[in-house]
Amino acid sequence: ISAKINALSSVENLQSELLKEIFEVIPAQEGGILLVDENDDIDEVFGLNRLSENQEIVISQTILNQVLSEKTSILANDVEVNQNLSQAESLFISKTSSVLCVPLILFEKNIGAIYLATREGKTVFDESHLRFLTAVAGTSAVAQREALA
């Protein structure tokens, strides 16, 4: 994956290829790569739905804010019964069952996040998915920033 992402120069091509590669390993229904400015405000979003390229993805602002403010990852299954996510209305409205979100950090600074979700109750994310996505985020952060330059 590292060689592929470093060979791509446009941001959109990089993000599209990155999400497709992630979908090969992690059973997410949809995913998004979000880039933020120096104030952690969303600057750019690229989303992809595994089932339909025309379908919009839903990204929980609650999850994203927590990942960015704490510079930590979130892995949550059975979202509808998770007490820590009771304030995340968009998860309930979109019927999201599992979510996985990791920060994109470059030189100890947030540059964005990778967000994955599924609405299929039988599909869950696990620690191996979290480790993989964390590794992808680490190796792609430099390529993301360089593609924007």
Side-chain angles (χ1 to χ4, degrees):
I1 291 177
S2 183
K4 268 190 180 178
I5 62 175
N6 288 325
L8 298 168
S9 58
S10 83
V11 175
E12 191 170 305
N13 286 344
L14 171 65
Q15 293 171 336
S16 176
E17 188 62 34
L18 193 55
L19 283 173
K20 288 175 185 174
E21 292 290 329
I22 290 168
F23 286 168
E24 292 293 319
V25 177
I26 301 176
Q29 185 176 6
E30 60 188 20
I33 298 176
L34 303 95
L35 300 179
V36 297
D37 63 19
E38 55 277 349
N39 299 319
D40 285 347
D41 293 325
I42 296 173
D43 197 27
E44 187 172 324
V45 178
F46 180 84
L48 191 62
N49 186 298
R50 181 191 294 260
L51 305 175
S52 170
E53 288 188 21
N54 298 327
Q55 188 170 344
E56 286 189 17
I57 65 164
V58 177
I59 295 173
S60 166
Q61 193 69 45
T62 303
I63 299 252
L64 182 61
N65 288 343
Q66 185 176 344
V67 166
L68 293 174
S69 67
E70 298 176 14
K71 292 185 180 173
T72 189
S73 301
I74 292 179
L75 185 163
N77 292 305
D78 297 323
V79 167
E80 62 278 354
V81 295
N82 188 319
Q83 294 297 320
N84 296 329
L85 300 175
S86 61
Q87 300 301 314
E89 285 184 39
S90 64
L91 295 176
F92 298 102
I93 292 169
S94 66
K95 295 183 173 54
T96 297
S97 60
S98 297
V99 66
L100 178 57
C101 187
V102 300
L104 288 167
I105 299 174
L106 186 60
F107 304 119
E108 298 181 22
K109 185 174 184 239
N110 286 329
I111 65 164
I114 302 175
Y115 182 98
L116 303 177
T118 186
R119 292 183 189 93
E120 299 172 5
K122 63 184 182 284
T123 302
V124 296
F125 301 134
D126 61 31
E127 288 295 321
S128 68
H129 297 137
L130 175 61
R131 286 191 300 277
F132 174 78
L133 196 59
T134 301
V136 168
T139 58
S140 70
V142 173
Q144 299 272 349
R145 188 50 69 195
E146 286 179 358
L148 284 173

